[in-house]
Amino acid sequence: MTMRLDVLPILSTLRRHRLTATLLVLQIALTCAIVSNAIFLIGDRLGWMTTPTGVAEDRLMRIVVSDIGRRGDIHARAQADLAELRGLPGVEAATIGNSLPFSGTTWNSDVSRSPVQGAPATAVTLYYGEGLAELLGSRLVAGRFFRSDEYAWLDDHLQGKAPGPTVTLITRDLATRLFGDGDPLGRTLYMHGDVLRVVGVLERLPGAAGFTRDRANDSIVLPWRMVPASGGGYIVRAREGETQKALVDAVKALKRLDPRRVIVSARTYPAIRARFFADDRATAVTLAAVSIALLVITALGIVGLASFWVGQRRRQIGIRRALGASRKDILRYFQTENFLLASMGIGLGMVLAYGINIVLMREYELPGLPLVYLPVGAAILWALGQAAVLAPALRAASVPPVVATRG
């Protein structure tokens, strides 16, 4: 009954200030809708940016070169380069491969379980490079890695001098997608005329780019040896704690072997990954900045309106104090008033939040807003409202009863 008696006079007062109360409610509603979606999107981006790769990220690097002219045996040159790199003190392994997870440079194709033309196909990321999966540190969960006799030169195949591959490694996610709960080892895949037998299953190996998140690990590895001229880059695995030094030494070694070659790029894997997720990071920072700005503006609106009402109601506050109301009663009055306004705004804001999310889902193919984000946004705004109104409420509570006798 006491709560009911407290609320009714507040509602009566708010009805006499419909315009200002309505504007504040709308401001809170808009902030609630935007902040709830922003928190969800920030969490979504951070989750995507921290997707595990299953590779030795802090020890990997990639060096891309451009050779001027083609002199001598390109296979022998590639092997000589790799021998030099593998002999460096800080290098544990080196190969020439086509790509790295989340590198932005992607080689894609379609694979099918049936040789029939037009059969259902699955898009996959392709990885090439002798010993690439082992070098990256990808964990084998079933089967084996490639044998040395199963590798062939990709450029020979492209010139019609070598047959296509006959074996492949696939990721566990792709195995589940293609074969369900069945054993994938020994099963056959078809890719543009090539018949591939699955000999090993990797725990994970995300694609470079171009796939939705639920398909990020739909990857296969093929036993191709590569040369830089066919799109390969030097992929090096450093010894523990020597990544930066190994990168510098590797670049020097490659230039020493052929001073005319141009180093197009030389980056550690953390730098490669950071570059890939740069847009997602910028989006998260922008959304966080917008959310903070909206919360600050809303807090200022609450402070300004509460201060205005305190100035208008000084005589009424003095009368209530003269009639026996304590400072605690006055403080509770303004906090309850703000809580009611915030609750109205939050209720409307939850409806707007879902409306905004529906638009984002339709226009940008974003996932649906989980219900958990609505109470999170509501809690933030309730706490913000109580904190913002505290200073004006304390000023109201300090109004002395003698004010009732003035004017």
Side-chain angles (χ1 to χ4, degrees):
M1 178 63 71
T2 303
M3 182 63 183
R4 178 180 174 85
L5 292 175
D6 286 343
V7 171
L8 289 178
I10 294 174
L11 293 176
S12 177
T13 302
L14 291 177
R15 279 196 295 269
R16 293 197 297 269
H17 300 86
R18 286 191 182 90
L19 180 59
T20 51
T22 300
L23 290 175
L24 184 59
V25 167
L26 291 176
Q27 184 180 16
I28 293 173
L30 184 61
T31 301
C32 178
I34 294 176
V35 169
S36 296
N37 276 283
I39 292 174
F40 165 59
L41 292 175
I42 291 171
D44 182 66
R45 296 287 179 175
L46 293 178
W48 173 232
M49 290 164 56
T50 55
T51 300
T53 60
V55 305
E57 297 189 12
D58 59 335
R59 298 167 63 186
L60 297 176
M61 64 199 75
R62 185 167 189 255
I63 305 169
V64 178
V65 303
S66 177
D67 290 330
I68 299 176
R70 298 180 62 180
R71 296 177 289 108
D73 186 339
I74 60 174
H75 296 167
R77 291 179 59 202
Q79 296 288 27
D81 288 343
L82 291 176
E84 184 72 16
L85 292 175
R86 291 165 184 162
L88 295 175
V91 171
E92 191 172 272
T95 190
I96 300 176
N98 67 327
S99 189
L100 287 171
F102 301 134
S103 66
T105 302
T106 182
W107 298 43
N108 300 330
S109 186
D110 294 329
V111 297
S112 174
R113 293 177 54 188
S114 171
V116 178
Q117 188 174 5
T122 300
V124 296
T125 296
L126 306 176
Y127 282 98
Y128 307 153
E130 184 174 10
L132 179 64
E134 300 96 303
L135 182 148
L136 294 179
S138 299
R139 191 168 77 89
L140 194 69
V141 296
R144 62 174 176 83
F145 290 113
F146 299 132
R147 299 191 306 264
S148 60
D149 62 300
E150 291 172 327
Y151 283 97
W153 289 100
L154 175 60
D155 58 300
D156 282 350
H157 173 67
L158 295 176
Q159 296 171 21
K161 300 178 182 179
T166 59
V167 292
T168 185
L169 303 175
I170 67 175
T171 58
R172 183 163 54 188
D173 284 0
L174 181 60
T176 301
R177 193 180 308 282
L178 293 173
F179 307 114
D181 295 330
D183 185 1
L185 296 180
R187 304 290 286 271
T188 302
L189 296 177
Y190 301 88
M191 185 181 72
H192 304 302
D194 293 327
V195 182
L196 307 171
R197 178 170 53 90
V198 179
V199 298
V201 179
L202 303 174
E203 182 179 29
R204 61 169 60 90
L205 186 59
F211 284 86
T212 57
R213 300 181 195 184
D214 61 322
R215 307 288 297 275
N217 278 291
D218 286 3
S219 304
I220 69 173
V221 185
L222 296 176
W224 289 124
R225 292 188 181 98
M226 299 191 71
V227 294
S230 60
Y234 296 92
I235 298 176
V236 180
R237 176 170 172 159
R239 300 188 186 280
E240 191 72 39
E242 298 187 48
T243 305
Q244 290 293 342
K245 183 178 183 303
L247 179 62
V248 174
D249 291 344
V251 170
K252 290 180 179 178
L254 292 172
K255 290 291 288 183
R256 184 170 59 250
L257 288 172
D258 185 356
R260 297 199 307 167
R261 67 168 36 127
V262 177
I263 305 298
V264 178
S265 66
R267 296 187 180 93
T268 62
Y269 183 74
I272 292 172
R273 178 167 178 146
R275 187 174 184 178
F276 180 84
F277 287 111
D279 289 344
D280 297 280
R281 188 180 304 105
T283 299
V285 171
T286 300
L287 289 171
V290 169
S291 299
I292 293 171
L294 280 173
L295 291 172
V296 169
I297 292 171
T298 301
L300 292 175
I302 293 171
V303 171
L305 185 59
S307 298
F308 174 72
W309 280 347
V310 168
Q312 277 198 329
R313 300 173 186 173
R314 285 182 62 83
R315 183 176 177 83
Q316 291 91 327
I317 294 169
I319 292 173
R320 288 197 62 189
R321 291 295 311 281
L323 294 176
S326 65
R327 293 189 175 188
K328 184 178 179 181
D329 293 330
I330 302 300
L331 182 65
R332 185 176 60 189
Y333 176 92
F334 280 92
Q335 288 181 318
T336 303
E337 182 179 66
N338 178 266
F339 182 81
L340 291 175
L341 289 171
S343 298
M344 296 176 194
I346 289 168
L348 179 59
M350 288 183 177
V351 177
L352 289 175
Y354 257 101
I356 292 174
N357 184 248
I358 289 172
V359 173
L360 293 175
M361 290 171 59
R362 184 176 65 247
E363 298 295 331
Y364 301 102
E365 299 182 359
L366 293 176
L369 178 67
L371 289 175
V372 68
Y373 286 93
L374 295 180
V376 170
I380 291 174
L381 283 168
W382 271 320
L384 178 72
Q386 292 301 301
V389 82
L390 183 60
L394 288 173
R395 288 200 300 272
S398 66
V399 174
V402 71
V403 170
T405 64
R406 295 177 182 169

